[in-house]
């Protein structure tokens, strides 16, 4: 595990499991919650992917990056898919309690966005920054209004994972010799063309730290009579994100309403209205055979669903800002760190936050509902 300058690693013992976190060596544990920011990673990866951002935050902010269960150096405890992301949220609550953090600003990326929303449904938070978040209605298998396409959620869950990619995770393959290698997946799906970093080996190591043990990534599956022939199983990360297990649209009615920043890239191929992670989108493109058509298996409009839920949140008085970054894919914090930092500092109300390129601070959604 490669740690950047000023970053330290710690195992936090909780009453649920042992959780690994990254901290800044200089941070003061007496920092108030108003200046405490907690970072949550995505479906593939670990806290290592936040290191540049932790380094760049002002010195009077306390920053914590958490490895979710089955990721990084946190225990590989199985995920009960029937609970949606509550296993992760409950782990987070136990971790923050152990760190004596009663509340904080949460930053969630992809899966971490879902965990942040679940946490906010059950615990007070000061703000939510959602970077390329999974739709509030789960990953795959729903129409724009969130209604499920099939009672068994066919085409979602553990069966959606690329088997060759999973095998390369198991083998801890750091090569770039195949499209299914984690390094090639990172280059093709996590970042936009032209992105380079001296830390790419660290980012790949973060992906490789994803546990493939039973009950972690991707999870089991079961046969389905409905195309593409499989449905979610009962354990594992991707099954926890199946629409029958996950519905976070209740965030619209949470009280009090934490301010929300939604950050995403225009070139994101993973969290998209035509996601490469969605078998229905791949069927529509002809990548998967025998697609039954848009009436039975339409691609999930992931971005539009997030927009609709956050629009409803704003209509009820919530303070919502959307920052859409052109030329950016799934990882704004890596691809445009200065813009991400400015937007985050503005969202958490940090005094002295730069005015440019920060987004507006008023309640606004910067995208047409159409």
């Amino acid at each position: 595990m490669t740690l950047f300058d000023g970053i330290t690693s710690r195992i936090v013992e909780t009453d649920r499991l042992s959780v690994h976190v990254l901290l800044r060596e200089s941070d003061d544990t007496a920092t108030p919650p108003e200046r405490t920011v907690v970072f949550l990673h995505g479906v593939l990866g670990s806290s290592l992917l936040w290191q540049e951002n932790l380094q760049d935050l002002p010195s009077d902010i306390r920053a914590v990056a958490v490895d979710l269960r089955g990721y990084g150096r946190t225990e590989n405890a199985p995920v009960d898919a029937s609970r949606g992301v509550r296993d992760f949220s409950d782990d987070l609550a136990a971790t923050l309690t152990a760190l004596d953090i009663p509340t904080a600003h949460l930053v969630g990326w992809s899966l971490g966005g879902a965990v942040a929303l679940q946490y906010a449904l059950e615990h007070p938070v000061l703000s939510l920054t959602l970077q390329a978040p999974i739709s509030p209605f789960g990953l795959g298998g729903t129409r724009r209004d969130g209604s499920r396409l099939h009672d068994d959620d066919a085409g979602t869950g553990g069966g959606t994972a690329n088997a060759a990619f999973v095998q390369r995770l198991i083998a801890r393959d750091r090569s770039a010799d195949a499209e299914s290698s984690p390094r090639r997946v990172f280059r093709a799906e996590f970042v936009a063309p032209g992105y380079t970093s001296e830390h790419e080996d660290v980012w790949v190591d973060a992906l490789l730290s994803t546990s493939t043990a039973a009950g972690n990534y991707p999870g089991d599956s079961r046969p389905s009579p409905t195309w593409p022939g499989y449905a979610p199983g009962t354990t594992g990360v991707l099954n926890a994100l199946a629409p029958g297990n996950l519905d976070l649209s209740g965030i619209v009615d949470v009280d009090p309403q934490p301010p929300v920043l939604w950050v995403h890239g225009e070139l994101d191929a993973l969290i998209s209205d035509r996601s490469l992670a969605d078998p229905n989108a791949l069927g529509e493109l002809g990548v998967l055979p025998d697609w039954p058509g848009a009436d039975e298996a339409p691609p999930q409009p992931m971005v539009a669903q997030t927009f609709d839920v956050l629009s409803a949140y704003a209509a009820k008085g919530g303070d919502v800002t959307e920052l859409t970054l052109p030329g950016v894919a799934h990882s704004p914090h890596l691809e445009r760190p200065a813009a991400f930092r400015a937007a985050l500092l503005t969202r958490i109300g940090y005094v002295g936050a730069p005015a440019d390129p920060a987004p507006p601070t008023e309640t606004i959604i910067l995208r047409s509902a159409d």
Side-chain angles (χ1 to χ4, degrees), residues 115-139:
V115 176
L117 285 173
Q118 182 65 58
Y119 187 90
L121 286 170
E122 299 171 341
H123 306 276
V125 299
L126 299 178
S127 74
L128 293 169
T129 294
L130 308 175
Q131 176 182 263
I134 286 167
S135 164
F137 299 113
L139 194 60

Side-chain angles (χ1 to χ4, degrees), residues 38-59:
V38 177
F39 295 83
L40 307 170
H41 61 77
V43 170
L44 295 164
S46 75
S47 58
L48 293 177
L49 286 155
W50 291 113
Q51 290 192 87
E52 287 182 322
N53 311 99
L54 268 60
Q55 286 182 316
D56 289 343
L57 288 176
S59 60

